[in-house]
Amino acid sequence: MTANHSRRVYDHVLDMLSSEENPTPMVRLNKVTGFKHTQVYAKLEWYNPFGAVKDRVAANLLRDGEERGLVGPAQKLVEPTSGNTGMGLAMLSNLKGYELTTPLSTEIPAEKRVMLRFAGANVEELEDTLCPAPGAPEGAIARAMEHAAKPEFHMLNQYENEANFEAHIRTTGPEIWRQTGGEITHFVSAMGTCGTLTGNGRFLKSKSPAIQVIGAHPAEGHDIPGVRSLRQLEQTQLFKPEEYDRLVEISDQDAYAMCLRLNREEGIIAGPSAALGLLGALNAIEDLPGQVVVVIFADNIYKYASSFERHFPDFRVVSSTPSEPSPKERLMDALLDNARGGDGTTEIDGLVARLGQADAPMLVDVRTPEVYEKGHLPGAINIPLAHIDNQQDQLPEDLDQEIVTVCNRGVMSLTGLLLLQSLGYRRVRSLNGGTMGWQEAGYSVAAPAETG
Ligand SMILES: Cc1ncc(COP(=O)(O)O)c(C=O)c1O
């Protein structure tokens, strides 16, 4: 048999890569838009062979590198990634006999990191922001560049390589033009490297300059994998604001709420960045007859269980195959139970009454810096759990200094309490309810610049 796109029969998985003849589907949104006239279509990019919009980019980066003679047989590739480009590159590398190394941030969902290893990539995990930051000396981009300086490696560099947005000029843009019969009036996408927005924007405006190109981005300190805040975008070479008609900022809270609605009300298994893009569209576009909007839905929900657990605490799972706890785990549970009861904890109102007084306790926030930066108790210093023993210089010399440990809800802070006790501190307590309880009780949190 030969590849037959209308019957969806292919000779090789590479024939499944999207093109004008073999487009990813577009489906109209019927419930969540609230529009009567404007038609909004979601372009479902998880129908690409390796599960995301970035398969197009991975394929084009390799094609371009091969054509330029930069990528050859048994090539060692290195690419910093937030997961999806890595997945496309890993699978294509398997098919083409390349070896892929992907430095990435430990902030990326565990699902994506495991999946990349499963797909055969050498995953190097580093402390970096969710989206690799170009300037971070210890970050994924810097590590990739270190590798790339060695002659046997080649870095495709999706953050700067124009083959990234060209993928969309060659495939996504022409697909959309054809699928809408040239009636598209607005193109909308969430922004990471900006390949999607820049490439589609250029192609579609070349067909009809009146088409509006709208980019959606999250707020600073966000928790949506694959996309960048405005500050992070400004560090990205393929971000071309002069080519876009509108940029819209969307909060994590709104994006995750819309993600839930897309799944439950539309029956579309859209991931968080798809919801972010859709909200960008709904914020920027009016309900008028004749308008046809296309929003890129970059990938689906299956890589984001850990993100959903964070944003919807009710969905957290208790392990479905509980194993017998080890003696160490039993000891830890007993210690935590002990700390939870008795005078190991303190309540929010009790703490408020003490703050501002001369003998106020020191507040130690034990969450990760990224979470801490989103908001913390005024005056709290940040020593993440994993660093309590190597950041002792930030702790008081006086082992009788009173300390209150703080986290989101008062669970991790119990472990913080035990760790501080193990360092000899005699007057440590954990804040029941944590930072979220603090806010629910009507008290405000500080962002880093305001910390006293
Ligand atoms: C889930 C997800 N959404 C959106 C994007 C943004 O796409 P682009 O990098 O083309 O701006 C990415 C990029 O990696 C992504 O992984």
Side-chain angles (χ1 to χ4, degrees):
M1 282 196 284
T2 47
N4 181 322
H5 293 311
S6 65
R7 277 193 265 142
R8 306 195 69 176
V9 176
Y10 307 90
D11 279 340
H12 193 283
V13 72
L14 288 176
D15 295 334
M16 288 173 65
L17 287 165
S18 306
S19 64
E20 205 175 333
E21 291 71 43
N22 188 40
T24 53
M26 292 199 339
V27 60
R28 183 155 172 199
L29 302 178
N30 297 306
K31 295 203 171 138
V32 299
T33 68
F35 288 152
K36 269 201 192 127
H37 306 290
T38 298
Q39 299 174 33
V40 181
Y41 286 87
K43 187 155 170 72
L44 308 186
E45 289 295 295
W46 53 89
Y47 282 85
N48 282 291
F50 316 117
V53 66
K54 301 309 282 262
D55 295 356
R56 301 172 184 273
V57 173
N60 200 49
L61 288 170
L62 286 178
R63 182 200 56 76
D64 181 74
E66 288 159 356
E67 281 179 16
R68 288 172 196 263
L70 301 168
V71 175
Q75 180 70 52
K76 284 189 177 179
L77 298 166
V78 61
E79 186 67 8
T81 166
S82 61
N84 281 335
T85 307
M87 189 64 185
L89 285 176
M91 296 306 248
L92 290 166
S93 294
N94 292 337
L95 293 167
K96 290 166 174 265
Y98 304 146
E99 191 185 307
L100 176 70
T101 299
T102 57
L104 47 70
S105 161
T106 48
E107 293 290 311
I108 287 171
E111 295 89 322
K112 288 189 177 178
R113 287 179 276 148
V114 172
M115 197 179 71
L116 274 172
R117 289 209 167 95
F118 193 78
N122 306 318
V123 177
E124 295 180 357
E125 290 169 282
L126 302 147
E127 277 188 35
D128 198 348
T129 43
L130 192 52
C131 241
E138 308 292 332
I141 294 182
R143 173 67 70 85
M145 284 177 163
E146 266 171 48
H147 284 303
K150 301 172 213 156
E152 68 272 25
F153 273 97
H154 178 65
M155 177 169 163
L156 296 159
N157 202 352
Q158 59 167 328
Y159 297 99
E160 295 182 9
N161 191 335
E162 299 200 343
N164 174 349
F165 65 71
E166 275 166 17
H168 298 283
I169 296 178
R170 286 168 167 259
T171 66
T172 332
E175 288 171 35
I176 293 171
W177 185 250
R178 187 173 182 193
Q179 284 172 302
T180 59
E183 287 183 10
I184 175 171
T185 55
H186 298 76
F187 173 82
V188 190
S189 175
M191 294 180 283
T193 64
C194 294
T196 307
L197 197 68
T198 301
N200 282 288
R202 281 196 189 173
F203 177 84
L204 293 167
K205 280 187 184 280
S206 78
K207 287 288 180 190
S208 166
I211 293 174
Q212 298 285 293
V213 173
I214 298 164
H217 64 83
E220 192 60 29
H222 67 94
D223 184 31
I224 300 184
V227 295
R228 292 177 165 246
S229 68
L230 200 54
R231 183 188 58 80
Q232 293 170 320
L233 285 167
E234 276 157 3
Q235 303 168 337
T236 308
Q237 286 206 6
L238 307 182
F239 174 59
K240 312 272 184 203
E242 65 284 1
E243 298 183 23
Y244 318 139
D245 296 285
R246 185 93 190 257
L247 295 179
V248 186
E249 181 171 295
I250 304 295
S251 72
D252 277 15
Q253 205 184 4
D254 289 349
Y256 278 95
M258 178 51 90
C259 188
L260 190 69
R261 289 192 64 198
L262 280 166
N263 280 268
R264 292 191 174 184
E265 295 175 39
E266 299 277 359
I268 296 177
I269 52 174
S273 80
L276 180 101
L278 174 62
L279 285 172
L282 300 182
N283 274 280
I285 300 167
E286 283 178 83
D287 188 16
L288 296 171
Q291 297 199 136
V292 177
V293 180
V294 176
V295 185
I296 295 293
F297 277 25
D299 67 0
N300 65 27
I301 49 177
Y302 295 114
K303 301 161 198 164
Y304 299 106
S306 48
S307 308
F308 295 143
E309 281 194 319
R310 268 196 306 283
H311 291 273
F312 304 95
D314 289 354
F315 302 160
R316 281 201 191 125
V317 286
V318 180
S319 171
S320 52
T321 51
S323 55
E324 196 53 31
S326 67
K328 204 167 141 196
E329 284 167 338
R330 263 202 297 269
L331 175 65
M332 192 65 188
D333 286 348
L335 285 169
L336 287 173
D337 271 352
N338 204 16
R340 205 174 277 124
D343 56 5
T345 58
T346 185
E347 301 301 324
I348 289 165
D349 287 341
L351 177 66
V352 171
R354 306 254 338 265
L355 291 180
Q357 296 185 358
D359 64 345
M362 175 178 188
L363 303 179
V364 175
D365 189 319
V366 299
R367 300 171 299 165
T368 60
E370 288 74 18
V371 186
Y372 167 84
E373 276 173 22
K374 285 187 202 160
H376 49 262
L377 266 58
I381 63 163
N382 182 217
I383 309 184
L385 265 193
H387 299 300
I388 285 188
D389 55 347
N390 58 20
Q391 289 187 10
Q392 282 186 42
D393 52 332
Q394 293 187 44
L395 291 166
E397 277 178 23
D398 177 5
L399 296 175
D400 280 317
Q401 160 74 49
E402 213 182 325
I403 302 177
V404 171
T405 56
V406 189
C407 63
N408 268 352
R409 274 284 172 209
V411 179
M412 257 163 69
S413 53
L414 286 168
T415 308
L417 164 136
L418 293 177
L419 288 169
L420 288 171
Q421 284 178 337
S422 76
L423 294 175
Y425 291 95
R426 288 180 276 265
R427 299 174 67 208
V428 192
R429 281 187 293 166
S430 159
L431 182 65
N432 273 339
T435 311
M436 290 166 100
W438 176 267
Q439 285 173 284
E440 284 159 15
Y443 302 112
S444 55
V445 289
E450 303 160 34
T451 307

